[in-house]
Amino acid sequence: MDLRAVIGPPIRVIAARMEPTLTENELAKIELTFRAIYDNDGWRETVLYDGVDDTLRALHRRGVKMFIVTNKPRIPTEKVLDHLGLTFLFQKVVTRDNRTPIYSSKAEMLSELLQQQLIGLQPAIMMGDTREDEEAALANGLPFFYAAYGYGTANAPHRTVIGFSELTSLFAKQ
């Protein structure tokens, strides 16, 4: 099985896609086991794609406002960003469990972010590497830039980004 097609959504959804015969009880056990491993120490294995650190810092220096919308839970997301020294680069990080009840989708997370940050009043894009990212952008009227270097796929992106450092030149034109 090509794992690229299943990565991105919450772990329970990934497990169900990989093995549709799993029961709710089995999915819950898989989720609990994964969370125990990833949330405690597994997040430490996160590495950045080439050019990400330099590009994010360059965009930040230029005053580009950056946000994260992710299916990862809040605590490991914060740990990863802190560990990599990237936290200060982002205006806000939205995770599925930032609120109760949890968000039902990335589209919902992005919609609330756009409203809270008044992002609709200025040019904005959504960049990601999964169809869920693309669907969130489309649902919220944003151009979707597909990160081809990632692990997912997209249907009809507004633009394809081959390497993260391409963003430096893209935002230089704005």
Side-chain angles (χ1 to χ4, degrees):
M1 168 181 269
D2 180 8
L3 294 179
R4 290 171 52 107
V6 295
I7 295 175
I11 191 64
R12 184 182 287 241
V13 174
I14 292 171
R17 286 182 183 169
M18 289 180 67
E19 184 51 63
T21 62
L22 291 171
T23 66
E24 280 302 312
N25 191 30
E26 291 168 325
L27 289 171
K29 286 179 184 177
I30 290 169
E31 182 177 27
L32 286 172
T33 302
F34 178 84
R35 292 269 61 99
I37 295 167
Y38 184 81
D39 294 2
N40 288 321
D41 288 316
W43 59 268
R44 293 179 191 274
E45 296 184 33
T46 302
V47 295
L48 294 175
Y49 287 108
D50 288 341
V52 170
D53 189 80
D54 292 340
T55 301
L56 289 175
R57 290 173 191 278
L59 293 173
H60 184 263
R61 284 191 300 274
R62 290 184 188 167
V64 174
K65 293 182 180 178
M66 297 178 288
F67 305 85
I68 293 177
V69 175
T70 180
N71 282 324
K72 284 183 176 58
R74 181 183 58 81
I75 292 172
T77 298
E78 290 172 353
K79 287 178 179 179
V80 166
L81 290 172
D82 288 344
H83 178 70
L84 297 173
L86 303 175
T87 303
F88 75 99
L89 300 172
F90 298 96
Q91 301 283 314
K92 184 168 178 114
V93 177
V94 181
T95 63
R96 202 172 281 266
D97 64 345
N98 269 131
R99 69 163 201 204
T100 303
I102 65 171
Y103 291 99
S104 62
S105 66
K106 272 194 182 172
E108 184 182 15
M109 290 187 276
L110 181 58
S111 174
E112 192 167 295
L113 173 70
L114 292 170
Q115 291 170 22
Q116 288 176 352
Q117 300 293 319
L118 303 175
I119 296 171
L121 302 177
Q122 53 201 325
I125 66 164
M126 170 74 167
M127 183 169 162
D129 64 351
T130 67
R131 286 196 178 124
E132 186 180 16
D133 296 328
E134 182 177 23
E135 291 163 3
L138 294 174
N140 287 283
L142 292 180
F144 176 66
F145 285 33
Y146 170 59
Y149 56 84
Y151 52 79
T153 59
N155 291 321
H158 179 83
R159 180 177 174 143
T160 298
V161 176
I162 304 300
F164 200 84
S165 59
E166 279 184 49
L167 295 178
T168 306
S169 61
L170 174 74
F171 282 96
K173 299 174 186 173
Q174 309 224 353

